[in-house]
Amino acid sequence: MFALKKTPGKDFILLNLSDPQLGDGEWAEGHPNRAILEGTVTELCRRVKPDLITVSGDLAWAGDDLAYDALADLLDSFGIPWTVMWGNHDNQGGADYIESVVKRYLTRPLCLYERGPANLGNGNFVIRIEENGRPVEGIIVMDSHDRAPYVNEKGEESMEWAKLWPEQIAWYREQIAALKEDGCRDAALLMHIPIYAYREAHAAAEKPGIDRKAITPAQADGDEVWNPGYESSFGVRHEGICSYPADEGMFGAILEGGLTKTLIAGHDHVNNTVIRHRGVAFVYSLKAGAGCYWEPSLNGGTVLRITENGVGEIRHEYVDPEAFRKG
């Protein structure tokens, strides 16, 4: 467990970057994708002045050691504490590969990372944001793995996007209980692959019959695209919700605990919706950079403004990549 200090009377700013996912070759000097990512993150740090940078998975492509180290060098260059969670492409290298990256990252003083219990994957831990000795926000980081077996109602077997494990949900309950005991009143859960309840939130919030792929961020506010009760939602969904296809039980634990009011996921590169459903903000973080697939208009990062009472604001900070693309 880590503790970061929030200055009384000053908001604590968390900047989340999602799915940078450059390969070794893209980190070559002069490559346009490197220029876009470096320019985007540099501009975000200039504007936002974060106190903590988090990266919600798919840091690179498993096996591309130069890319993992280059991303860490970039994050180190800002002199700001940072942490990561692993995505499906990171986990595709297997547990031993993740551990090899972890060992290198743990040598970096600005990297806040714990392996967590060995039976949960790698990287299940909590960062406490504290003011005057009391945690005002719990940042819960969880490993969402890669793939998991699934059997549908016809008995057909398939491999689908992974889910949080029952042991992780039990561990989550323990962390919530500990935060509550220490007086914390708000928490945020960060992972890569969205939990099943993202499907529930979107089904409740989205007006039917709208061509979601045609909606721009500027058009994604208000009651023209959202159902009654969800007008505060914003952001676009230009692809499906790539979660495990059955309820893994995590949202039930979240509602039962009552402390976690913000969920942040990556994984789906051209989704950046923020939907408040049943008292919880379901956030798709804005993707950073051109790695893998992207839409240039959906480039940047997602900002949490944390007050003495927890998360006070969630917003996307868009960065136009065109200047960096031209060099």
Side-chain angles (χ1 to χ4, degrees):
M1 188 270 291
F2 297 98
L4 295 177
K5 303 300 182 185
K6 175 188 174 298
T7 302
K10 182 178 181 294
D11 294 336
F12 184 100
I13 304 300
L14 183 152
L15 170 63
N16 189 74
L17 310 171
S18 191
D19 298 81
Q21 207 171 343
L22 299 187
D24 281 355
E26 292 171 290
W27 277 103
E29 190 69 38
H31 195 288
N33 288 358
R34 172 179 176 174
I36 289 169
L37 182 61
E38 289 182 334
T40 295
V41 180
T42 300
E43 176 63 12
L44 286 168
C45 288
R46 184 192 69 79
R47 289 188 205 167
V48 171
K49 297 178 175 55
D51 299 292
L52 173 66
I53 300 171
T54 58
V55 187
S56 52
D58 281 2
L59 280 63
W61 299 84
D64 284 9
D65 285 343
L66 292 176
Y68 284 97
D69 292 344
L71 179 64
D73 288 342
L74 174 62
L75 296 172
D76 274 345
S77 72
F78 302 107
I80 298 164
W82 56 272
T83 194
V84 302
M85 56 228 70
W86 307 114
N88 53 293
H89 285 286
D90 306 309
N91 274 303
Q92 282 169 3
D96 290 344
Y97 184 72
I98 288 290
E99 179 59 21
S100 73
V101 180
V102 167
K103 285 179 179 177
R104 299 201 304 277
Y105 278 18
L106 287 175
T107 67
R108 296 174 178 266
L110 290 170
C111 179
L112 307 182
Y113 186 88
E114 291 180 359
R115 295 178 177 88
N119 65 326
L120 306 184
N122 202 324
N124 295 271
F125 58 96
V126 178
I127 300 173
R128 296 186 179 203
I129 312 303
E130 297 184 348
E131 180 175 331
N132 295 326
R134 179 181 71 84
V136 298
E137 185 70 25
I139 306 297
I140 303 170
V141 176
M142 297 185 76
D143 178 5
S144 58
H145 317 293
D146 176 21
R147 296 276 183 164
Y150 173 69
V151 180
N152 67 17
E153 63 278 0
K154 297 179 181 179
E156 299 167 335
E157 298 182 6
S158 60
M159 291 298 290
E160 303 291 342
W161 298 117
K163 58 183 177 179
L164 298 176
W165 300 340
E167 298 87 349
Q168 287 179 288
I169 297 174
W171 174 85
Y172 165 83
R173 287 190 167 102
E174 293 172 359
Q175 308 317 305
I176 291 299
L179 286 165
K180 284 183 174 180
E181 186 174 349
D182 289 342
C184 188
R185 297 191 293 270
D186 197 77
L189 170 59
L190 280 66
M191 65 212 137
H192 179 68
I193 298 174
I195 63 173
Y196 177 83
Y198 271 70
R199 300 188 185 203
E200 175 188 319
H202 283 79
E206 294 179 349
K207 276 192 172 178
I210 292 175
D211 182 1
R212 289 283 153 188
K213 292 183 179 180
I215 298 293
T216 68
Q219 297 168 329
D221 294 334
D223 57 7
E224 291 187 7
V225 294
W226 305 106
N227 282 324
Y230 291 91
E231 294 90 347
S232 65
S233 303
F234 60 94
V236 301
R237 183 172 68 82
H238 288 173
E239 64 178 308
I241 298 165
C242 296
S243 72
Y244 190 73
D247 187 356
E248 74 292 282
M250 188 63 195
F251 193 42
I254 289 167
L255 294 177
E256 174 190 308
L259 195 68
T260 299
K261 304 296 195 308
T262 306
L263 308 179
I264 294 183
H267 189 50
D268 302 332
H269 295 189
V270 292
N271 293 342
N272 74 333
T273 47
V274 177
I275 295 171
R276 297 190 183 276
H277 175 66
R278 300 181 68 181
V280 177
F282 287 76
V283 180
Y284 266 118
S285 183
L286 194 58
K287 175 174 161 51
C292 193
Y293 69 96
W294 73 317
E295 291 179 12
S297 63
L298 302 179
N299 177 60
T302 298
V303 178
L304 299 187
R305 180 176 59 82
I306 298 170
T307 74
E308 62 182 4
N309 297 312
V311 175
E313 179 191 25
I314 303 165
R315 75 176 192 272
H316 297 315
E317 192 74 30
Y318 292 91
V319 178
D320 184 353
E322 200 58 35
F324 313 126
R325 196 200 306 262
K326 293 175 181 175

Short mmCIF file of all heavy atoms in Angstrom, two decimals, residues 236-265:
data_model
loop_
_atom_site.label_atom_id
_atom_site.label_comp_id
_atom_site.label_asym_id
_atom_site.label_seq_id
_atom_site.Cartn_x
_atom_site.Cartn_y
_atom_site.Cartn_z
N VAL A 236 -18.22 9.25 -26.35
CA VAL A 236 -18.73 8.47 -27.48
C VAL A 236 -18.43 6.99 -27.29
O VAL A 236 -17.51 6.61 -26.56
CB VAL A 236 -18.12 8.96 -28.82
CG1 VAL A 236 -18.43 10.43 -29.06
CG2 VAL A 236 -16.61 8.72 -28.87
N ARG A 237 -19.24 6.18 -27.97
CA ARG A 237 -18.97 4.74 -28.05
C ARG A 237 -18.96 4.35 -29.51
O ARG A 237 -20.00 4.19 -30.12
CB ARG A 237 -20.02 3.95 -27.27
CG ARG A 237 -19.73 2.44 -27.28
CD ARG A 237 -20.65 1.66 -26.36
NE ARG A 237 -22.02 1.65 -26.83
CZ ARG A 237 -22.48 0.81 -27.76
NH1 ARG A 237 -21.66 -0.04 -28.37
NH2 ARG A 237 -23.77 0.85 -28.09
N HIS A 238 -17.76 4.20 -30.05
CA HIS A 238 -17.60 3.90 -31.47
C HIS A 238 -17.30 2.43 -31.72
O HIS A 238 -17.01 2.03 -32.85
CB HIS A 238 -16.51 4.77 -32.08
CG HIS A 238 -16.93 6.21 -32.24
ND1 HIS A 238 -16.06 7.20 -32.64
CD2 HIS A 238 -18.14 6.82 -32.06
CE1 HIS A 238 -16.71 8.35 -32.69
NE2 HIS A 238 -17.97 8.14 -32.33
N GLU A 239 -17.32 1.62 -30.68
CA GLU A 239 -17.18 0.17 -30.84
C GLU A 239 -17.94 -0.51 -29.72
O GLU A 239 -18.49 0.12 -28.82
CB GLU A 239 -15.70 -0.24 -30.85
CG GLU A 239 -14.95 0.03 -29.56
CD GLU A 239 -13.51 -0.46 -29.62
OE1 GLU A 239 -13.29 -1.64 -29.97
OE2 GLU A 239 -12.60 0.34 -29.31
N GLY A 240 -17.98 -1.84 -29.76
CA GLY A 240 -18.69 -2.60 -28.74
C GLY A 240 -18.01 -2.55 -27.39
O GLY A 240 -16.92 -2.00 -27.24
N ILE A 241 -18.67 -3.14 -26.42
CA ILE A 241 -18.13 -3.20 -25.06
C ILE A 241 -17.49 -4.57 -24.89
O ILE A 241 -18.17 -5.59 -24.81
CB ILE A 241 -19.24 -2.97 -24.01
CG1 ILE A 241 -19.82 -1.57 -24.20
CG2 ILE A 241 -18.70 -3.15 -22.60
CD1 ILE A 241 -21.13 -1.35 -23.49
N CYS A 242 -16.18 -4.58 -24.86
CA CYS A 242 -15.41 -5.84 -24.90
C CYS A 242 -15.10 -6.32 -23.48
O CYS A 242 -13.95 -6.29 -23.03
CB CYS A 242 -14.15 -5.66 -25.72
SG CYS A 242 -14.49 -5.30 -27.45
N SER A 243 -16.14 -6.74 -22.78
CA SER A 243 -15.99 -7.33 -21.46
C SER A 243 -16.21 -8.83 -21.56
O SER A 243 -16.59 -9.36 -22.62
CB SER A 243 -17.02 -6.73 -20.50
OG SER A 243 -18.32 -7.22 -20.81
N TYR A 244 -16.02 -9.53 -20.46
CA TYR A 244 -16.46 -10.92 -20.37
C TYR A 244 -17.97 -10.93 -20.58
O TYR A 244 -18.68 -10.03 -20.13
CB TYR A 244 -16.09 -11.48 -18.99
CG TYR A 244 -16.28 -12.97 -18.86
CD1 TYR A 244 -15.42 -13.85 -19.50
CD2 TYR A 244 -17.33 -13.49 -18.10
CE1 TYR A 244 -15.59 -15.22 -19.37
CE2 TYR A 244 -17.50 -14.86 -17.98
CZ TYR A 244 -16.63 -15.72 -18.61
OH TYR A 244 -16.80 -17.09 -18.50
N PRO A 245 -18.53 -11.93 -21.28
CA PRO A 245 -19.94 -11.87 -21.65
C PRO A 245 -20.93 -12.27 -20.55
O PRO A 245 -22.14 -12.29 -20.81
CB PRO A 245 -20.03 -12.85 -22.82
CG PRO A 245 -18.90 -13.79 -22.64
CD PRO A 245 -17.81 -13.00 -21.99
N ALA A 246 -20.47 -12.54 -19.35
CA ALA A 246 -21.37 -12.87 -18.24
C ALA A 246 -20.94 -12.10 -17.00
O ALA A 246 -19.77 -11.70 -16.86
CB ALA A 246 -21.35 -14.38 -17.96
N ASP A 247 -21.87 -11.88 -16.11
CA ASP A 247 -21.62 -11.10 -14.91
C ASP A 247 -20.67 -11.85 -13.98
O ASP A 247 -20.98 -12.95 -13.52
CB ASP A 247 -22.95 -10.82 -14.20
CG ASP A 247 -22.81 -9.86 -13.02
OD1 ASP A 247 -21.67 -9.47 -12.71
OD2 ASP A 247 -23.85 -9.53 -12.42
N GLU A 248 -19.52 -11.24 -13.72
CA GLU A 248 -18.53 -11.86 -12.84
C GLU A 248 -18.77 -11.56 -11.37
O GLU A 248 -18.09 -12.09 -10.49
CB GLU A 248 -17.10 -11.46 -13.23
CG GLU A 248 -16.68 -10.04 -12.86
CD GLU A 248 -17.42 -8.96 -13.63
OE1 GLU A 248 -17.07 -8.74 -14.80
OE2 GLU A 248 -18.35 -8.36 -13.06
N GLY A 249 -19.75 -10.68 -11.08
CA GLY A 249 -20.10 -10.38 -9.69
C GLY A 249 -19.43 -9.17 -9.11
O GLY A 249 -19.68 -8.80 -7.96
N MET A 250 -18.59 -8.47 -9.90
CA MET A 250 -17.85 -7.35 -9.34
C MET A 250 -18.74 -6.18 -9.01
O MET A 250 -18.56 -5.53 -7.97
CB MET A 250 -16.75 -6.92 -10.33
CG MET A 250 -15.80 -5.88 -9.76
SD MET A 250 -14.88 -6.53 -8.34
CE MET A 250 -14.23 -5.02 -7.65
N PHE A 251 -19.72 -5.88 -9.85
CA PHE A 251 -20.56 -4.72 -9.58
C PHE A 251 -21.39 -4.93 -8.31
O PHE A 251 -21.63 -3.99 -7.56
CB PHE A 251 -21.46 -4.41 -10.77
CG PHE A 251 -22.13 -3.06 -10.69
CD1 PHE A 251 -21.45 -1.94 -10.26
CD2 PHE A 251 -23.46 -2.92 -11.05
CE1 PHE A 251 -22.06 -0.69 -10.19
CE2 PHE A 251 -24.09 -1.67 -11.00
CZ PHE A 251 -23.39 -0.57 -10.55
N GLY A 252 -21.80 -6.16 -8.08
CA GLY A 252 -22.50 -6.44 -6.82
C GLY A 252 -21.64 -6.13 -5.62
O GLY A 252 -22.12 -5.56 -4.63
N ALA A 253 -20.35 -6.47 -5.69
CA ALA A 253 -19.44 -6.16 -4.60
C ALA A 253 -19.23 -4.66 -4.46
O ALA A 253 -19.10 -4.14 -3.35
CB ALA A 253 -18.10 -6.86 -4.82
N ILE A 254 -19.21 -3.96 -5.58
CA ILE A 254 -19.05 -2.49 -5.55
C ILE A 254 -20.24 -1.85 -4.87
O ILE A 254 -20.10 -0.97 -4.01
CB ILE A 254 -18.85 -1.96 -6.99
CG1 ILE A 254 -17.47 -2.37 -7.51
CG2 ILE A 254 -19.03 -0.45 -7.04
CD1 ILE A 254 -17.29 -2.17 -9.00
N LEU A 255 -21.45 -2.26 -5.25
CA LEU A 255 -22.65 -1.69 -4.64
C LEU A 255 -22.74 -2.07 -3.17
O LEU A 255 -23.13 -1.25 -2.32
CB LEU A 255 -23.89 -2.19 -5.38
CG LEU A 255 -24.04 -1.71 -6.83
CD1 LEU A 255 -25.27 -2.34 -7.47
CD2 LEU A 255 -24.12 -0.18 -6.89
N GLU A 256 -22.37 -3.27 -2.84
CA GLU A 256 -22.39 -3.72 -1.44
C GLU A 256 -21.43 -2.90 -0.59
O GLU A 256 -21.76 -2.48 0.52
CB GLU A 256 -22.02 -5.20 -1.39
CG GLU A 256 -21.86 -5.79 -0.01
CD GLU A 256 -21.25 -7.17 -0.06
OE1 GLU A 256 -21.76 -8.03 -0.82
OE2 GLU A 256 -20.23 -7.41 0.63
N GLY A 257 -20.23 -2.65 -1.12
CA GLY A 257 -19.24 -1.89 -0.36
C GLY A 257 -19.59 -0.42 -0.23
O GLY A 257 -19.28 0.22 0.78
N GLY A 258 -20.20 0.13 -1.28
CA GLY A 258 -20.70 1.49 -1.24
C GLY A 258 -19.65 2.58 -1.30
O GLY A 258 -20.00 3.76 -1.30
N LEU A 259 -18.37 2.24 -1.36
CA LEU A 259 -17.32 3.24 -1.30
C LEU A 259 -16.84 3.66 -2.69
O LEU A 259 -16.49 4.82 -2.92
CB LEU A 259 -16.14 2.71 -0.49
CG LEU A 259 -15.10 3.73 -0.03
CD1 LEU A 259 -15.71 4.68 1.00
CD2 LEU A 259 -13.88 3.03 0.57
N THR A 260 -16.81 2.72 -3.63
CA THR A 260 -16.28 2.99 -4.96
C THR A 260 -17.32 3.69 -5.80
O THR A 260 -18.36 3.12 -6.14
CB THR A 260 -15.83 1.68 -5.64
OG1 THR A 260 -14.81 1.08 -4.84
CG2 THR A 260 -15.30 1.95 -7.04
N LYS A 261 -17.02 4.93 -6.16
CA LYS A 261 -17.94 5.74 -6.95
C LYS A 261 -17.45 5.96 -8.38
O LYS A 261 -18.15 6.56 -9.19
CB LYS A 261 -18.14 7.12 -6.29
CG LYS A 261 -18.62 7.08 -4.84
CD LYS A 261 -20.00 6.46 -4.71
CE LYS A 261 -20.63 6.74 -3.35
NZ LYS A 261 -19.77 6.40 -2.22
N THR A 262 -16.21 5.51 -8.69
CA THR A 262 -15.63 5.73 -10.01
C THR A 262 -14.95 4.46 -10.49
O THR A 262 -14.14 3.87 -9.77
CB THR A 262 -14.59 6.88 -9.97
OG1 THR A 262 -15.19 8.05 -9.40
CG2 THR A 262 -14.08 7.19 -11.36
N LEU A 263 -15.28 4.03 -11.71
CA LEU A 263 -14.61 2.93 -12.37
C LEU A 263 -13.93 3.46 -13.62
O LEU A 263 -14.54 4.21 -14.38
CB LEU A 263 -15.61 1.84 -12.79
CG LEU A 263 -16.57 1.30 -11.74
CD1 LEU A 263 -17.49 0.25 -12.36
CD2 LEU A 263 -15.82 0.71 -10.56
N ILE A 264 -12.68 3.08 -13.84
CA ILE A 264 -11.96 3.50 -15.04
C ILE A 264 -11.44 2.26 -15.75
O ILE A 264 -10.80 1.40 -15.14
CB ILE A 264 -10.79 4.44 -14.71
CG1 ILE A 264 -11.31 5.76 -14.16
CG2 ILE A 264 -9.94 4.70 -15.96
CD1 ILE A 264 -10.24 6.78 -13.87
N ALA A 265 -11.76 2.16 -17.04
CA ALA A 265 -11.26 1.08 -17.88
C ALA A 265 -10.67 1.65 -19.15
O ALA A 265 -10.93 2.80 -19.52
CB ALA A 265 -12.39 0.10 -18.22
#
